[in-house]
Amino acid sequence: MVKEIYIAGEWRLGRGGTIKSYFPADNSVNAEISTASLEDVNEAIEKAEQAWRDPSWRNRLPHERARILYKVADIIETRVDELSRLQTRDNGKPLTETRGLVMSAAATARYIAAACETFNDELTTQRASDFMTLSVHEPVGVVAAITPWNSPIASEVQKLAPALAAGNAVVLKPAEATSLIALELAKIFEEAGLPKGLLSVLVGRGSVIGDAIVKHPLVRKISFTGGTTTGRNLAHIAAEKLITTSLELGGKSPTIVFDDADIELAAKGVAYGIFSSAGQACIAGSRLFIQHKVYDRFLKRLNEITQNLRVGHPEKTGVHMGSLINQKHLESVDRYVNLALKEGGKILTGGKALTDGEYAKGSFYLPTIITGLNNSAQTCQEEIFGPVLVAMKFEDEEDLLKQANDSCYGLAAGIWTENFRRAWKISRALEVGTVWINTYKKFSISVPFGGFKESGIGREKGRLGILSYMQQKSIYMGLNEEPNAWAE
Ligand code: NAP
């Protein structure tokens, strides 16, 4: 049976034909899903506009909006096993990882609910006494949320929760590959009591349906997570419409091992930073810089750890890396490995797809370490979004910063050292939005996240993340009984 989509609070077949959702590990069909047409886009957005303007939503008190999000968090938590499995079926990540993402989505909903309840407008101070001023925050209206396939439930709640808490309506366009989990999320918001029309989940191709959503005149904000090329395209559209964007884009993050680092801790952390999610993470630590004195020793240990990683069926326990999202993506990863060889690189380990036995029907790739390249190589400058690490050497701090900052991206970085002064100095000098010191890929919803340079614009998360879905208004209230004096 073809799966229905969620158009302005109604479950029904979209008018845009159907797509199939595949389980990346064996290419079996999860479901056939109907997709939105351009008429569906118009309908969803027009009803979203009515829904956010409706006094029953506009005048709803913050704690009443928060109640919906608390309920969303509770439902997600009680259904964690089922939702993790569904997300694994959608994108091939191991169950342990998808479980983490599902729990993070619940935590986000709960945190934003609390932020919504405790959010204050400001009484701005005045020296003059014949008026008082307030700074208040209004919703922006209809928000277009567009998400990628790598961590869908987490990145979707990261947009839906603050946008709805702020009083907006949201039209979500998930990645085609991971539409199932987004549709399930719509059911959860509906069950939690979100009024009709405030959320639509429009399945369809980004270049057609995504494009139509963001270009619609009633859409007043674009919240996008995905690749830099798409993000740049959306920024052009937003500039034309004079609306704001939040762009969470790609990365090529440096991970740095100083000669005083705890080698065992660092080697395990570096392996986790690049190979978890099979490298399909915006923050993957894909450029490794090792200080020359420990280069051989560190690489030897990292290689041992990497060779012991288990690539396998994502529903099995003890698997470190599941399948890549699909064969097309695997071919793109493999092309980069071949490019690295042409550029003079050498494969220390990995460098090929797994194609026999249990791997035959999926898109599995070995964790790969490449040496012998300079940071200027194309392989070191472009995002591969797969399990490929390029290891390079550095002499001293100056040499390191020159190489690490030589990138169009600036999403994240990792530093491994026992010297806290050095860690502080280098973390301030790196041109990135997030730095991990002696750890990697740790997240907290209370900490803002976003990129420098071509890794994005704006910040998500944090108590004030909700502000990016609001517009500030200043109100002057006259206290004087005299008429305004003419300016002299
Ligand atoms: P993508 O190709 O940019 O797609 C992301 C989303 O945009 C998908 O829903 C896609 O729809 C849609 N889309 C594509 N073209 C569009 C257009 N012209 N107009 C409107 N929407 C459009 O990225 P991806 O390959 O799915 O995801 C991988 C990228 O996301 C990587 O670069 C990764 O670093 C980045 N990422 C960044 C973060 C972060 O927080 N900074 C987090 C996760 C991922 P379809 O699926 O239908 O094409």
Side-chain angles (χ1 to χ4, degrees):
M1 206 173 66
V2 177
K3 253 187 120 49
E4 295 174 328
I5 57 173
Y6 194 54
I7 306 170
E10 305 290 343
W11 288 99
R12 61 165 210 248
L13 294 177
R15 287 166 279 187
T18 63
I19 55 163
K20 286 195 174 114
S21 150
Y22 296 95
F23 181 28
D26 61 13
N27 255 322
S28 56
V29 175
N30 292 323
E32 189 171 0
I33 311 169
S34 87
T35 66
S37 67
L38 297 179
E39 287 161 284
D40 295 328
V41 169
N42 287 337
E43 183 185 336
I45 294 174
E46 278 158 21
K47 291 196 173 148
E49 175 74 5
Q50 288 163 19
W52 83 267
R53 286 183 182 281
D54 192 306
S56 69
W57 183 243
R58 283 222 67 175
N59 301 337
R60 198 173 284 216
L61 294 172
H63 73 270
E64 292 168 341
R65 277 186 203 143
R67 201 174 291 147
I68 297 172
L69 295 177
Y70 284 125
K71 189 104 188 273
V72 165
D74 290 343
I75 300 171
I76 291 177
E77 274 175 0
T78 50
R79 294 177 56 190
V80 58
D81 290 338
E82 177 205 338
L83 292 169
S84 318
R85 204 156 285 125
L86 182 63
Q87 179 154 354
T88 289
R89 300 287 308 181
D90 245 2
N91 73 1
K93 279 191 178 184
L95 277 173
T96 42
E97 278 189 40
T98 51
R99 192 181 172 83
L101 292 168
V102 170
M103 291 308 283
S104 134
T108 299
R110 189 163 287 126
Y111 178 89
I112 298 293
C116 172
E117 279 187 299
T118 54
F119 181 80
N120 282 332
D121 285 321
E122 289 165 52
L123 189 64
T124 43
T125 51
Q126 291 303 326
R127 268 180 289 172
S129 58
D130 58 349
F131 59 87
M132 65 178 278
T133 55
L134 295 106
S135 171
V136 297
H137 296 83
E138 308 286 7
V140 290
V142 181
V143 174
I146 300 185
T147 50
W149 44 263
N150 65 322
S151 308
I153 192 167
S155 47
E156 276 145 19
V157 175
Q158 220 161 285
K159 296 183 187 313
L160 297 186
L164 293 167
N168 303 289
V170 184
V171 176
L172 169 65
K173 209 299 290 168
E176 265 199 337
T178 49
S179 302
L180 287 178
I181 193 86
L183 290 168
E184 210 50 41
L185 209 46
K187 284 200 185 124
I188 291 170
F189 274 88
E190 188 179 42
E191 187 185 333
L194 187 74
K196 266 188 196 307
L198 288 167
L199 175 63
S200 286
V201 177
L202 301 184
V203 174
R205 190 168 297 162
S207 55
V208 181
I209 294 306
D211 183 71
I213 295 171
V214 295
K215 285 185 175 157
H216 195 289
L218 290 174
V219 165
R220 302 309 302 158
K221 154 112 193 168
I222 301 170
S223 180
F224 173 75
T225 301
T228 294
T229 306
T230 316
R232 185 176 280 116
N233 184 12
L234 297 185
H236 279 292
I237 295 168
E240 198 54 46
K241 292 175 69 180
L242 286 178
I243 61 171
T244 60
T245 51
S246 304
L247 302 174
E248 300 284 353
L249 309 177
K252 190 81 184 177
S253 299
T255 173
I256 299 151
V257 180
F258 281 101
D259 56 14
D260 64 351
D262 176 330
I263 296 290
E264 190 60 20
L265 189 78
K268 287 185 173 145
V270 166
Y272 176 72
I274 176 68
F275 298 126
S276 55
S277 303
Q280 300 167 116
C282 53
I283 45 170
S286 50
R287 288 185 298 148
L288 170 63
F289 294 101
I290 312 167
Q291 197 156 19
H292 65 103
K293 272 194 221 152
V294 291
Y295 182 85
D296 292 334
R297 187 153 66 98
F298 183 81
L299 214 49
K300 181 168 178 286
R301 183 64 191 124
L302 178 66
N303 193 15
E304 285 163 5
I305 292 167
T306 304
Q307 294 193 5
N308 281 324
L309 293 176
R310 278 185 297 280
V311 182
H313 195 285
E315 287 178 320
K316 284 191 183 154
T317 48
V319 163
H320 297 107
M321 282 171 48
S323 170
L324 299 184
I325 186 74
N326 54 36
Q327 200 59 26
K328 190 168 158 230
H329 188 52
L330 181 143
E331 282 159 17
S332 154
V333 169
D334 199 47
R335 264 198 304 280
Y336 270 111
V337 171
N338 287 324
L339 171 70
L341 294 177
K342 278 196 207 121
E343 291 186 302
K346 292 190 180 61
I347 294 174
L348 182 65
T349 185
K352 59 174 195 271
L354 290 162
T355 50
D356 296 334
E358 66 165 317
Y359 305 113
K361 291 185 181 159
S363 304
F364 295 90
Y365 206 87
L366 279 171
T368 300
I369 303 175
I370 290 168
T371 58
L373 289 178
N374 289 323
N375 185 59
S376 56
Q378 202 179 333
T379 317
C380 302
Q381 291 291 321
E382 294 180 11
E383 186 183 39
I384 300 175
F385 215 56
V388 180
L389 176 69
V390 187
M392 291 169 278
K393 237 182 238 181
F394 71 94
E395 287 296 317
D396 51 23
E397 291 177 10
E398 191 186 336
D399 177 35
L400 164 79
L401 287 171
K402 214 163 120 200
Q403 297 191 62
N405 283 337
D406 176 19
S407 171
C408 68
Y409 295 110
L411 195 57
I415 301 172
W416 301 88
T417 176
E418 295 295 291
N419 179 338
F420 78 90
R421 287 186 193 85
R422 169 185 271 168
W424 176 254
K425 189 166 128 195
I426 299 298
S427 63
R428 295 305 301 264
L430 286 167
E431 294 163 2
V432 299
T434 295
V435 178
W436 286 285
I437 298 166
N438 293 329
T439 185
Y440 205 83
K441 261 192 173 183
K442 286 283 175 199
F443 275 120
S444 162
I445 176 66
S446 59
V447 180
F449 179 76
F452 280 26
K453 303 199 259 187
E454 293 183 26
S455 288
I457 298 176
R459 295 290 175 267
E460 286 195 328
K461 314 210 287 191
R463 215 164 65 78
L464 299 180
I466 199 169
L467 279 178
S468 75
Y469 295 95
M470 293 171 152
Q471 41 196 345
Q472 199 165 11
K473 180 187 281 176
S474 304
I475 300 180
Y476 288 74
M477 197 184 294
L479 304 175
N480 204 335
E481 287 174 13
E482 301 298 316
N484 276 12
W486 285 92
E488 287 175 8

